[in-house]
């Protein structure tokens, strides 16, 4: 099928693309092989460096990793549950038509987006003398709520203006139009960005290491402190756990998006069928 956006590549362009792909694959393969050779020369693949995960003390090691993972998920879950509704509220204030509401909210959002998360965590811990858990969650909530607000605002602004005008035309108030018509569509449109930010939120829990929060990274560091030779293997296992969690979150979001798309398509088909039945019934009555 011919694309309307660009010309179909000819034989020469296809050959150049194939050559570039092969060269890129060879470069990546060479990098992987080089990394394996360097790590092997340092004894990284020696069985002694991995025994801690399979020997008699493995149960204690995996228990500590499990506790760290649980602490990571707790902080990320609580922060996400609080940050998203707060982001919705900030988004509503940010797109308000009243200047004295919109402008201060914009200033606050720019401040929160510009501040490093670690500084927010340290500020909450030192100024309010909270626990490490509260400090980590507070820092994540403040930063991610601002990001969620901007993502949702972008989603609302991407909608056709007729969406809001139609809502107001049928008698909905401005707030009702936002929540009933615009926000559901904005969330569906910006779901990939929202999920990406959730993954960032999950990874940012590792900043709790600075305030002695017993999350996954801190547990990995404690394991590696048992023996310097375990440094690579411990961090490798920790990285694998982070990757598996993030992939799980991404796959869950894809499943939710596809399910929502099927429901929307089913609703549209049902509405079209209803209209067809009404039209046919009207035509029959006329006859």
């Amino acid at each position: 099928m011919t694309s309307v956006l660009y010309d179909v590549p000819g034989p020469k362009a296809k050959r150049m693309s194939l050559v570039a792909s092969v060269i890129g694959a060879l470069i990546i393969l060479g990098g992987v092989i080089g990394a394996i050779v360097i790590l092997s020369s340092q004894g990284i693949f020696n069985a002694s460096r991995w025994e801690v995960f399979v020997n008699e003390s493995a149960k204690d090691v995996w228990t500590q990793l499990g506790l760290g993972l649980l602490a990571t998920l707790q902080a990320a879950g609580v922060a996400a549950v609080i940050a998203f509704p707060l982001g919705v509220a900030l988004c509503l204030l940010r797109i308000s038509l009243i200047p004295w509401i919109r402008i201060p909210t914009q200033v606050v959002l720019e401040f929160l987006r510009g501040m490093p998360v670690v500084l927010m965590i340290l500020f909450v811990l030192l100024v309010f003398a909270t626990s490490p858990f509260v400090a980590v969650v507070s820092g994540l909530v403040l930063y991610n709520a601002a990001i969620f607000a901007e993502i949702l605002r972008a989603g609302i602004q991407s909608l056709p203006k007729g969406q809001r005008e139609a809502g107001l035309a049928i008698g909905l108030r401005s707030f009702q139009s936002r929540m009933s018509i615009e926000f559901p569509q904005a969330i569906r449109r910006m779901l990939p960005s929202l999920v990406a930010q959730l993954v960032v939120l999950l990874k940012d829990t590792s900043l709790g290491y600075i305030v002695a929060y017993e999350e996954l990274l801190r547990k990995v560091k404690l394991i590696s402190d048992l023996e310097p030779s375990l440094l690579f293997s411990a961090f490798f296992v920790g990285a694998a756990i982070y990757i598996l969690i993030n992939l799980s979150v991404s796959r869950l979001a894809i499943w939710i998006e596809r399910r929502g798309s099927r429901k929307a398509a089913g609703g549209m088909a049902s509405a079209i069928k209803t209209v067809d039945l009404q039209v046919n019934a009207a035509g029959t009555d006329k006859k």
Side-chain angles (χ1 to χ4, degrees), residues 39-271:
L39 293 175
S40 179
S41 65
Q42 296 177 356
I44 296 299
F45 300 110
N46 292 342
S48 59
R49 296 204 176 193
W50 302 90
E51 287 180 352
V52 69
F53 298 105
V54 294
N55 59 16
E56 298 176 354
S57 61
K59 182 178 179 181
D60 295 333
V61 171
W62 286 110
T63 299
Q64 291 300 313
L65 289 175
L67 293 174
L69 175 59
L70 180 61
T72 293
L73 295 177
Q74 284 178 338
V78 173
V81 168
I82 300 175
F84 186 76
L86 182 58
V88 173
L90 290 172
C91 178
L92 289 172
L93 297 176
R94 175 66 178 84
I95 61 180
S96 173
L97 300 177
I98 305 174
W100 61 268
I101 294 179
R102 183 180 65 254
I103 296 175
T105 304
Q106 181 180 359
V107 173
V108 171
L109 288 177
E110 291 299 328
F111 173 78
L112 294 177
R113 291 172 60 202
M115 285 291 292
V117 181
V118 66
L119 289 183
M120 297 185 190
I121 294 175
L122 289 173
F123 177 82
V124 173
L125 181 71
L126 298 176
V127 174
F128 299 101
T130 64
S131 65
F133 175 79
V134 174
V136 171
V137 170
S138 299
L140 293 175
V141 166
L142 292 173
Y143 177 75
N144 288 279
I147 302 299
F148 286 146
E150 289 300 308
I151 292 175
L152 292 173
R153 183 173 71 89
I156 290 176
Q157 290 181 339
S158 69
L159 297 176
K161 292 183 179 180
Q163 296 285 333
R164 180 171 177 78
E165 294 173 354
L168 298 177
I170 62 176
L172 295 179
R173 296 181 180 178
S174 178
F175 180 77
Q176 291 176 324
S177 175
R178 295 290 192 199
M179 301 306 296
S180 301
I181 298 177
E182 297 169 62
F183 262 113
Q185 296 183 74
I187 291 174
R188 238 183 345 257
R189 284 194 174 198
M190 305 307 291
L191 187 60
S193 298
L194 292 172
V195 173
Q197 190 57 37
L198 285 176
V199 172
V200 172
L201 185 154
L202 179 63
K203 292 189 294 185
D204 282 348
T205 56
S206 60
L207 297 173
Y209 173 83
I210 298 173
V211 295
Y213 180 60
E214 298 289 337
E215 43 74 48
L216 180 59
L217 179 61
R218 186 170 181 81
K219 292 294 187 181
V220 168
K221 183 63 170 61
L222 292 175
I223 293 172
S224 65
D225 288 341
L226 298 175
E227 177 62 42
S229 62
L230 298 177
L231 182 63
F232 177 84
S233 55
F235 276 92
F236 181 86
V237 172
I241 294 174
Y242 273 116
I243 292 173
L244 287 175
I245 297 172
N246 293 334
L247 287 177
S248 300
V249 173
S250 299
R251 296 304 303 177
L252 177 61
I254 292 173
W255 178 79
I256 293 174
E257 183 179 12
R258 289 177 177 174
R259 184 177 181 183
S261 299
R262 285 197 298 268
K263 284 187 176 181
M268 182 65 70
S270 177

